[in-house]
Amino acid sequence: MEQLIAIEKDGEIIDLQRAEAEGVDPQSGRPIYFDNSPEALQVIRHSAAHLMAQAIKELYPDAQFFVGPVVDEGFYYDFRTGEKIGEEELSKIEKKMEEIAKRKLPIERYEISKEEAREKFADDDLKQEVLKGIPSERVSIYRQGDWEDLCRGPHLPHTGYLRRNFKLTRVAGAYLGGDENREMLTRIYGVAFADRETLKNHLKMVEEAKKRDHRKLGNELELFIFSEEVGAGLPIWLPKGARLRSKLENLLFKAHRRRGYEPVRGPEILKSELWKRSGHYQNYRENMYFTEICDDETRKESCVEYGIKPMNCVGHIMVYKAKKRSYRELPLKYFEYGVVHRHEKSGVLHGLFRVREFTQDDAHIFCTPDQIKPTVQEVLSFVDEIMGSFDFDYEMEISTKPEKAMGDDEIWEVATEALKEALDGSGRQYGIDEGGGAFYGPKIDIKITDALGRKWQCGTIQVDFNLPERFELEYTDSDNSQKRPVMIHRAILGSFERFIGILTEHYGGEFPFFIAPTQIIFVPIGEAHLPYAQELAERLMEMGVDSEIYGGRESLNKRIRNAEKQRVPLVGIIGDREIENRSIAIRDRREKIQYNLGEKEFLNRIKEKLSEVRF
RNA sequence: GCCCAGAUAGCUCAGUGGUAGAGCACUUCCUUGGUAAGGAAGAGGUCGGCGGUUCAAUUCCGCUUCUGGGCUCCA
């Protein structure tokens, strides 16, 4: 009963037009019907992109088109026009799309040679650009009505399939070919499904996800703010945010100590000479901030340039160099909650996810080459424990040598292999990001997704042979010879800022007890019950648990409502009954139930909750 | 940095070429309440900043700061 729109054969989606042209028997592949299967959506969205392009062409006759692919969340088309396209134009384009869809234009396909295509689109430089990227000699063109475009397909049989089941979501700029040195085209994003109902549900889901946005929750829960007066990308931590953060810091501090890491601390600014030696000055300068210290303001010669640290490695190297090292000491693990400053381009700043000042849970491990693999594996299991404690799914990716890099290819090869081996040994799946490494070494990145499914890099493990070389690090080996250690840079959360942003979205503001900014709110029913609440609050404070008391003039219902709105794990109600038998009436957010606990039980329960996590 | 939007009270948001409003929050008073908004009154805004057009700009234009969605980049 469902309509066949394409078939899948040898992992390729072949639409009916192409099947006919190539004489492919539609029975010979797996049928793809007009529904919401991933394969069908590819076809639908591809055609939606074309429909949009046709609508744009009718509305803006000067429009020229680049590419219009299907992406995870929908589709987009990049194009150029003399007109400015803003959000307001989207509904206009949608209307035109509806209109064209109604015409039920057949979507036809034909093939020509690349040479013919070059001539056909002789006066369209964007199409020429697309043609350059096509390896095959024959190219296909899809035509609907009087509009046609160079396209591989697959497509729907006719435009009538696209009726009120698509939505244009946003306008954006996109560089031609993703190259920031080239022209910027207009890009319009959209989504499409087989039916209107699914589209509506999808849009609703996106709306729901936006409610979990850490910027919105951060504001509502008074975790942090940004201030125009202070500057872009410089978060200000409010008491509740700082409470959450310090809990995370404390837990993680112990976790490091337990694993043999030593806390160290480097300065915020270091002489530029040192950044030249490390290579940051040459390779990372555009991301750094600099300042000068002058002995004599009137004499320029007395000024020395300092760089504000964008990374903590140089400081840790100085710790290593503080004395002569023996192989017996290795691996040496130094860690620091290092505050770093990076000049991020204004357009990339994004709540706590991308800021200009942030604190990394950074560590540098100095080890022998033989220790690389076990050390990386140990770090990987550390990562696993932390992520597991927060129920995070994460992805890992190896990033290889970037264009702007220092060190020999050979060294890079060895380091990259070491990472791969460690990962292979751990049995974990991982992807590869060619050219995505740091300038001093390859890395394993740990990525977590936010409420909207966007991926953010959090933890990172980097193998570095370059900095030990540049700083001539040495240790005395068992044969009394001087050897060069390897440096492993690693962060597990990545930065507290980004990690807390992700945590906020992950939990929708309902933080687990052990890190919740306020772990319990007491609501004494009347004034007489206040002292007992205060007594409990003090006991909890001794245990390192933050509580608040919502007493005062407001009605009981209102105070309970306000307490719940704070999304605290526990709300404790205290009235005559509770005082009489030294108990607390608890509203448990996670269990979604209410129960009564005697004081002792209550304190025990709190202890249990605190020890739920240990990493 | 680039493209496209936006900025009105602490927060969420209406609104207008004739210098502004709501709800919540805040202050005061009444209410002392057993599980998600008790009542009344009040205070609070150079309508992000700087210029321009105009008799008159929060409103129109330009620049700037900040924010949002992307691109590029990245913890």
Side-chain angles (χ1 to χ4, degrees):
Chain A
M1 77 178 201
E2 277 166 316
Q3 304 148 76
L4 185 74
I5 54 172
I7 59 164
E8 190 193 327
K9 200 176 171 182
D10 305 327
E12 202 182 358
I13 298 174
I14 299 174
D15 58 30
L16 302 181
Q17 295 91 321
R18 183 175 153 199
E20 199 190 323
E22 296 180 358
V24 176
D25 177 8
Q27 304 291 324
S28 68
R30 196 169 65 82
I32 296 172
Y33 297 108
F34 183 64
D35 57 23
N36 289 306
S37 70
E39 296 79 17
L41 287 182
Q42 275 194 46
V43 181
I44 293 165
R45 289 170 177 175
H46 208 146
S47 290
H50 272 215
L51 181 64
M52 175 173 82
Q54 188 179 5
I56 291 167
K57 186 73 182 172
E58 287 194 16
L59 290 166
Y60 311 96
D62 73 324
Q64 286 176 302
F65 297 87
F66 185 51
V67 289
V70 173
V71 289
D72 281 356
E73 280 297 297
F75 62 87
Y76 69 79
Y77 226 115
D78 283 353
F79 60 99
R80 170 165 62 206
T81 164
E83 309 273 330
K84 276 200 191 294
I85 309 285
E87 301 278 336
E88 285 171 21
E89 277 68 41
L90 291 187
S91 56
K92 213 163 68 187
I93 296 169
E94 275 175 5
K95 277 205 191 88
K96 181 59 88 177
M97 286 169 73
E98 279 296 338
E99 195 189 310
I100 297 169
K102 261 191 217 164
R103 296 182 207 151
K104 286 198 177 184
L105 297 172
I107 301 175
E108 298 159 325
R109 175 183 190 276
Y110 64 93
E111 280 188 21
I112 54 177
S113 74
K114 199 145 97 184
E115 197 43 50
E116 286 170 306
R118 279 202 197 96
E119 262 166 53
K120 185 178 174 67
F121 298 108
D123 53 352
D124 188 335
D125 61 308
L126 292 183
K127 280 286 155 269
Q128 296 296 335
E129 202 62 45
V130 177
L131 280 166
K132 271 187 211 162
I134 300 176
S136 65
E137 265 318 300
R138 304 282 298 169
V139 295
S140 56
I141 301 218
Y142 278 80
R143 176 168 57 204
Q144 53 197 59
D146 54 5
W147 187 83
E148 60 181 11
D149 195 15
L150 191 62
C151 178
R152 181 170 42 187
H155 282 283
L156 294 164
H158 62 79
T159 63
Y161 281 87
L162 298 163
R163 300 293 306 281
R164 298 161 62 73
N165 53 353
F166 58 84
K167 173 135 185 78
L168 303 186
T169 49
R170 48 188 177 246
V171 201
Y175 295 110
L176 202 163
D179 182 345
E180 70 174 316
N181 298 313
R182 302 193 66 180
E183 162 188 16
M184 181 157 275
L185 303 173
T186 303
R187 172 177 294 181
I188 297 183
Y189 281 93
V191 283
F193 290 92
D195 61 289
R196 183 154 179 77
E197 203 49 37
T198 311
L199 171 70
K200 266 175 148 174
N201 288 339
H202 174 261
L203 295 176
K204 212 179 282 169
M205 258 176 51
V206 172
E207 279 311 304
E208 285 302 310
K210 279 185 186 155
K211 287 185 191 158
R212 298 214 316 268
D213 191 309
H214 75 281
R215 292 166 296 188
K216 186 178 159 66
L217 286 170
N219 192 303
E220 272 173 30
L221 302 178
E222 298 178 6
L223 302 179
F224 59 87
I225 53 166
F226 286 91
S227 156
E228 186 179 337
E229 287 174 283
V230 171
L234 303 169
I236 294 148
W237 290 84
L238 302 176
K240 284 175 195 160
R243 286 210 295 243
L244 185 159
R245 180 174 163 151
S246 75
K247 282 177 188 140
L248 190 55
E249 285 175 355
N250 293 339
L251 283 165
L252 198 61
F253 188 90
K254 286 197 196 101
H256 277 90
R257 299 290 287 121
R258 232 178 258 133
R259 285 171 175 74
Y261 288 83
E262 284 291 340
V264 296
R265 176 89 167 77
E268 292 298 311
I269 60 174
L270 296 83
K271 281 183 187 169
S272 284
E273 274 309 310
L274 208 49
W275 296 117
K276 284 174 187 162
R277 184 159 185 196
S278 70
H280 286 81
Y281 206 83
Q282 300 83 333
N283 294 288
Y284 205 71
R285 191 165 209 286
E286 61 276 22
N287 283 295
M288 289 179 66
Y289 300 106
F290 293 92
T291 187
E292 267 188 342
I293 295 180
C294 305
D295 266 348
D296 178 352
E297 291 294 344
T298 62
R299 290 192 317 123
K300 195 73 192 157
E301 318 85 79
S302 76
C303 295
V304 176
E305 189 186 55
Y306 281 72
I308 300 169
K309 69 171 173 178
M311 297 183 192
N312 307 298
C313 31
V314 177
H316 294 189
I317 285 172
M318 293 301 143
V319 176
Y320 183 90
K321 279 171 82 90
K323 67 176 194 190
K324 201 140 173 69
R325 302 293 176 179
S326 151
Y327 74 100
R328 293 175 192 277
E329 294 179 87
L330 305 183
L332 266 172
K333 308 189 221 178
Y334 296 137
F335 86 104
E336 172 181 1
Y337 290 158
V339 179
V340 295
H341 291 78
R342 295 185 187 173
H343 178 82
E344 298 291 349
K345 291 177 186 171
S346 58
V348 306
L349 301 175
H350 183 103
L352 284 183
F353 286 170
R354 181 70 118 278
V355 291
R356 286 186 173 145
E357 186 207 88
F358 56 100
T359 306
Q360 297 179 305
D361 59 326
D362 206 1
H364 292 90
I365 302 170
F366 298 85
C367 64
T368 66
D370 287 350
Q371 290 168 332
I372 296 176
K373 190 173 161 188
T375 301
V376 171
Q377 277 174 337
E378 186 193 299
V379 173
L380 284 172
S381 81
F382 195 176
V383 167
D384 216 44
E385 279 172 74
I386 304 266
M387 295 303 158
S389 303
F390 294 106
D391 297 321
F392 275 130
D393 272 336
Y394 60 94
E395 290 174 20
M396 296 205 287
E397 213 170 63
I398 288 197
S399 299
T400 59
K401 190 179 178 188
E403 265 178 54
K404 207 170 182 181
M406 56 190 201
D408 298 338
D409 282 358
E410 201 182 318
I411 284 179
W412 275 82
E413 193 53 38
V414 173
T416 310
E417 272 313 304
L419 287 178
K420 279 187 184 158
E421 263 178 49
L423 267 180
D424 289 337
S426 76
R428 282 207 148 260
Q429 295 273 334
Y430 59 93
I432 293 187
D433 176 9
E434 292 294 345
F439 69 85
Y440 47 77
K443 56 180 185 168
I444 295 174
D445 283 334
I446 288 121
K447 300 190 173 186
I448 314 179
T449 48
D450 71 9
L452 285 173
R454 292 177 291 210
K455 290 191 182 94
W456 295 90
Q457 182 190 323
C458 290
T460 182
I461 306 169
Q462 313 174 348
V463 178
D464 181 1
F465 292 101
N466 283 308
L467 290 178
E469 186 74 30
R470 288 194 162 232
F471 284 95
E472 296 172 329
L473 301 187
E474 290 182 332
Y475 63 89
T476 308
D477 208 349
S478 53
D479 61 2
N480 203 25
S481 67
Q482 294 304 303
K483 295 265 172 67
R484 187 129 295 159
V486 179
M487 228 176 133
I488 293 170
H489 308 238
R490 53 108 282 197
I492 293 184
L493 309 183
S495 76
F496 286 96
E497 285 72 11
R498 183 174 287 178
F499 193 77
I500 288 172
I502 296 260
L503 268 184
T504 305
E505 303 204 352
H506 181 67
Y507 291 116
E510 301 184 15
F511 297 105
F513 189 85
F514 66 98
I515 46 160
T518 303
Q519 286 147 310
I520 176 164
I521 292 178
F522 290 111
V523 181
I525 288 171
E527 220 169 303
H529 315 119
L530 189 59
Y532 183 41
Q534 285 165 332
E535 195 187 317
L536 286 169
E538 278 167 34
R539 299 277 299 266
L540 292 180
M541 178 55 79
E542 291 304 317
M543 296 163 64
V545 171
D546 285 302
S547 62
E548 288 182 60
I549 299 172
Y550 281 17
R553 312 150 303 282
E554 283 150 336
S555 68
L556 178 67
N557 281 347
K558 174 92 168 253
R559 285 181 285 137
I560 288 173
R561 176 183 152 83
N562 286 343
E564 289 291 355
K565 276 200 339 192
Q566 289 297 310
R567 303 175 204 229
V568 291
L570 301 176
V571 175
I573 316 287
I574 291 164
D576 287 337
R577 291 205 289 271
E578 283 70 30
I579 291 198
E580 209 170 299
N581 46 34
R582 297 291 286 183
S583 69
I584 300 99
I586 300 286
R587 278 171 159 245
D588 189 312
R589 190 172 191 92
R590 196 207 292 177
E591 311 290 340
K592 294 189 167 50
I593 49 165
Q594 296 182 23
Y595 47 84
N596 249 271
L597 288 180
E599 189 180 312
K600 209 170 194 166
E601 270 179 293
F602 168 70
L603 293 173
N604 281 336
R605 180 69 61 92
I606 296 284
K607 268 187 208 137
E608 262 171 49
K609 281 184 174 285
L610 277 180
S611 59
E612 265 169 21
V613 156
R614 178 196 152 108
F615 37 65

